[in-house]
C-alpha cells in the first residue's frame, strides 16, 4: 500500500466510516434542528457534519471546503474523491448539509428577498449602466468577450475600483492570467472617482495564475480567504478566463477534457457569486467562426459551457472614433441592446 492509500485509510478510520454516519445521523439531526432555532446558519462548521472528525475536516479544508455550505453544493463524486470517502458516505454528508441549511425549494417571495440583496456596481458610463439595468450585478457571473484592445481588461480594473466607490469596505480579488494587471491604472481610476488611491490598491488582492490548474486552484481558495480574513469581497475578476485553457488544450482530441475543466472552474465561480453575494467578472477572447458568412465573424472561446454558466454576456468591440460598443447578448431579465462609451484615463465616459 502506498503512502497515499495509507493516509486515505487513516482518514477513513479517524474521520468517517459508513456506520458512524448511519448511527449518528438521527440524534445529530434532531439536536441540530433544535440548535438551528438558536444559532444562525453561519455558525455550522465542517465538524458539525455527522462522522466528520478532525482528520477528515482538515482534509476537506485542504481541498477547499470551508463550511457546510460548500459541502451542500458539492457533488457526491467530487466530495468522495476530495474527502477520501465512499460515494455513499459523500451522498449522506451532502444530504445532511442540505437538510441543515434548509436547501431545496424556496418560495418566490424568498427569491425576491434574495434579489433585494443584489448590488449593482456602476461603470461610470450612464449608457453602459442602463444596458445592464444599473450596473454589474452581485450574485452573478458577467462575461465580456471581444477582440484585443476592446476594453475587457480596462473594465476589470474599473470594477475593482468602482466596487469600492459603491461600498468603502469592499474588496476586489483579481486573478491575472495574462500579466496585464496594472496598479498604475487602478490609481488613475481611483483618482477619477476621488478615492484614496493607497486604500483602493490595498483592498485589491491580486494573484497571477501560471496555468489553468493554478487558475482553478486560486479560485477554489477564495472562499477560504473570504471566511478566514473576513473580507467583504464584492467583485472577483478573472482576466482572462479562457486564455490558459486555450493555450494548453490544443487539437480536437483534447476538447472534452478542456470543457470539463472549464465547467468545473465556472461552477466554482458561480458558487462564490451565490454564496458571498459578489460579482464575478470574467473576460473571454474571440475566435473567428468560419461558419459565419454574414455579420460579425467572431465567436467567444469556451463555447456553450462558458455561455451557459454566465448570467450576463457582453460582446465588446471597437466603435467609431475610439469609442467602444458593448452589446448585451444574454441576460435573465433585460432586453438585448447596445451601449456606447469611451475608455478614458480617469474612467469610462458616455460618448
Ligand atoms: P486583450 O486583453 O488584448 O484581448 O484586450 P482587452 O480587451 O483586454 O483590451 P484592454 O482592456 O487592455 O484595452 C486597451 C485599450 O484601452 C487601449 O487600446 C486604449 O484604447 C484603452 N486604454 C488603456 N489605458 C488607457 C488610458 O490610460 N487612457 C485612455 N484614454 N485609454 C486607455
Ligand atoms: Mg486584456
Amino acid at each position: 500500500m502506498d503512502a497515499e492509500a495509507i493516509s486515505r485509510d487513516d482518514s477513513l478510520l479517524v474521520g468517517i466510516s459508513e456506520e458512524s454516519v448511519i448511527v449518528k445521523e438521527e440524534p445529530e439531526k434532531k439536536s441540530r434542528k433544535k440548535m438551528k432555532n438558536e444559532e444562525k446558519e453561519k455558525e455550522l462548521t465542517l465538524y458539525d457534519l455527522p462522522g466528520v472528525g478532525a482528520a477528515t475536516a482538515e482534509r476537506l479544508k485542504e481541498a477547499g471546503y470551508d463550511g457546510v455550505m460548500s459541502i451542500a453544493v458539492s457533488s457526491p463524486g467530487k466530495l468522495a474523491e476530495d474527502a477520501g470517502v465512499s460515494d455513499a458516505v459523500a451522498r449522506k454528508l451532502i444530504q445532511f448539509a442540505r437538510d441543515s441549511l434548509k436547501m431545496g425549494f424556496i418560495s418566490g417571495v424568498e427569491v425576491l428577498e434574495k434579489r433585494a440583496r443584489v448590488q449593482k456596481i456602476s461603470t461610470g458610463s450612464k449608457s453602459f449602466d442602463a444596458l445592464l439595468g444599473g450596473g454589474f450585478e452581485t450574485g452573478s457571473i458577467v462575461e465580456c468577450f471581444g477582440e484585443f484592445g476592446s476594453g475587457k481588461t480596462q473594465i476589470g480594473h474599473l470594477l475593482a475600483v468602482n466596487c469600492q466607490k459603491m461600498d468603502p469596505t469592499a474588496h476586489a480579488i483579481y486573478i491575472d492570467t495574462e500579466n496585464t494587471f496594472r496598479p498604475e491604472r487602478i490609481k488613475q481610476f481611483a483618482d477619477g472617482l476621488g478615492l484614496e488611491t493607497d486604500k483602493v490598491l490595498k483592498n485589491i488582492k491580486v494573484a497571477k495564475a501560471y496555468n489553468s490548474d493554478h487558475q482553478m486552484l486560486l479560485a477554489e481558495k477564495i472562499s477560504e480567504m473570504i471566511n478566514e480574513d473576513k473580507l467583504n469581497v464584492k467583485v472577483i475578476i478573472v482576466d482572462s478566463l479562457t486564455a490558459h485553457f486555450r493555450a494548453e488544450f490544443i487539437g480536437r482530441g483534447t476538447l472534452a477534457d478542456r470543457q470539463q475543466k472549464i465547467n468545473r472552474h465556472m461552477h466554482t465561480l458561480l458558487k462564490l457569486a451565490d454564496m458571498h453575494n459578489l460579482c464575478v467578472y470574467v473576460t473571454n477572447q474571440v475566435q473567428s467562426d468560419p461558419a459565419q458568412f454574414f455579420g460579425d465573424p467572431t465567436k467567444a472561446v469556451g463555447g456553450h459551457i462558458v455561455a451557459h454558466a454566465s448570467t450576463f454576456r457582453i460582446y465588446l468591440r471597437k466603435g467609431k472614433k475610439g469609442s467602444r460598443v458593448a452589446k448585451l447578448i444574454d441576460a435573465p431579465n433585460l432586453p438585448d441592446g447596445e451601449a456606447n462609451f469611451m475608455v478614458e484615463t480617469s474612467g469610462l465616459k458616455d460618448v
Side-chain angles (χ1 to χ4, degrees):
M1 205 188 265
D2 62 14
E4 208 187 84
I6 291 169
S7 79
R8 265 173 96 92
D9 264 359
D10 264 351
S11 77
L12 265 169
L13 288 173
V14 181
I16 189 164
S17 65
E18 302 230 4
E19 294 93 296
S20 69
V21 171
I22 296 159
V23 174
K24 275 191 173 177
E25 193 178 58
E26 275 314 304
E28 279 257 332
K29 214 176 196 171
K30 273 180 203 146
S31 68
R32 183 112 320 277
K33 265 187 189 152
K34 233 195 266 168
M35 281 168 76
K36 203 46 215 303
N37 299 331
E38 293 146 26
E39 284 179 36
K40 284 192 177 156
E41 284 171 12
K42 264 185 201 159
E43 285 156 41
L44 289 173
T45 71
L46 291 177
Y47 296 89
D48 297 312
L49 294 167
V52 169
T56 310
E58 283 311 311
R59 193 177 169 140
L60 285 168
K61 271 187 187 161
E62 258 165 45
Y65 296 85
D66 48 35
V68 178
M69 177 63 104
S70 58
I71 301 285
V73 295
S74 184
S75 65
K78 173 125 192 352
L79 184 65
E81 192 191 318
D82 291 343
V85 299
S86 71
D87 268 11
V89 171
R91 217 167 281 128
K92 283 200 157 63
L93 286 179
I94 291 171
Q95 196 51 51
F96 179 85
R98 287 182 183 169
D99 285 350
S100 63
L101 294 176
K102 282 194 183 160
M103 280 172 81
F105 288 101
I106 57 171
S107 74
V109 178
E110 286 168 293
V111 178
L112 198 64
E113 275 167 13
K114 206 171 168 199
R115 285 284 305 161
R117 290 211 308 268
V118 167
Q119 291 168 290
K120 292 179 181 179
I121 307 168
S122 166
T123 61
S125 151
K126 282 200 181 76
S127 67
F128 200 177
D129 283 356
L131 182 72
L132 299 173
F136 282 68
E137 276 192 11
T138 60
S140 57
I141 298 185
V142 186
E143 174 203 358
C144 265
F145 64 97
E147 59 172 333
F148 68 93
S150 56
K152 304 180 295 291
T153 298
Q154 297 303 309
I155 291 173
H157 283 65
L158 188 89
L159 290 172
V161 178
N162 283 29
C163 72
Q164 301 191 45
K165 174 80 178 177
M166 175 186 83
D167 176 352
T169 68
H171 284 63
I173 293 179
Y174 204 112
I175 299 181
D176 183 9
T177 76
E178 302 191 300
N179 202 12
T180 48
F181 177 79
R182 293 291 176 275
E184 300 86 335
R185 200 70 188 102
I186 295 291
K187 279 189 168 187
Q188 290 171 337
F189 284 145
D191 270 337
L193 289 173
L195 298 175
E196 209 182 305
T197 53
D198 287 345
K199 185 179 167 239
V200 169
L201 273 173
K202 214 174 132 221
N203 290 346
I204 303 173
K205 311 286 175 208
V206 188
K208 252 184 217 167
Y210 293 100
N211 55 47
S212 65
D213 280 317
H214 189 211
Q215 180 180 335
M216 289 167 74
L217 187 75
L218 286 170
E220 281 157 24
K221 289 280 173 203
I222 290 177
S223 215
E224 192 180 313
M225 192 166 126
I226 290 177
N227 290 338
E228 278 180 8
D229 302 343
K230 304 260 179 297
L231 294 182
N232 175 26
V233 175
K234 279 295 141 212
V235 61
I236 296 172
I237 296 123
V238 186
D239 183 22
S240 135
L241 175 76
T242 47
H244 280 318
F245 291 97
R246 196 182 183 187
E248 288 165 29
F249 295 84
I250 302 159
R252 281 205 84 74
T254 63
L255 197 65
D257 271 356
R258 182 184 91 172
Q259 291 309 85
Q260 203 181 354
K261 279 194 147 186
I262 294 183
N263 190 23
R264 203 177 115 199
H265 190 39
M266 289 306 278
H267 271 90
T268 306
L269 295 171
L270 199 57
K271 271 191 244 173
L272 284 165
D274 197 42
M275 282 165 67
H276 302 286
N277 188 30
L278 53 81
C279 172
V280 173
Y281 171 73
V282 301
T283 70
N284 196 356
Q285 286 122 327
V286 287
Q287 58 194 15
S288 62
D289 179 4
Q292 181 107 18
F293 287 109
F294 302 102
D296 203 331
T298 50
K299 65 175 193 182
V301 176
H304 296 306
I305 301 261
V306 176
H308 193 74
S310 303
T311 327
F312 295 88
R313 305 191 73 211
I314 299 162
Y315 174 43
L316 277 183
R317 63 185 159 83
K318 295 174 192 164
K320 285 180 189 143
K321 296 181 187 157
S323 71
R324 297 291 186 275
V325 183
K327 184 175 184 185
L328 191 62
I329 304 279
D330 193 8
N333 58 340
L334 293 170
D336 291 357
E338 283 192 350
N340 272 274
F341 61 90
M342 305 288 292
V343 177
E344 289 182 359
T345 305
S346 61
L348 301 192
K349 295 282 157 354
D350 286 306
V351 176

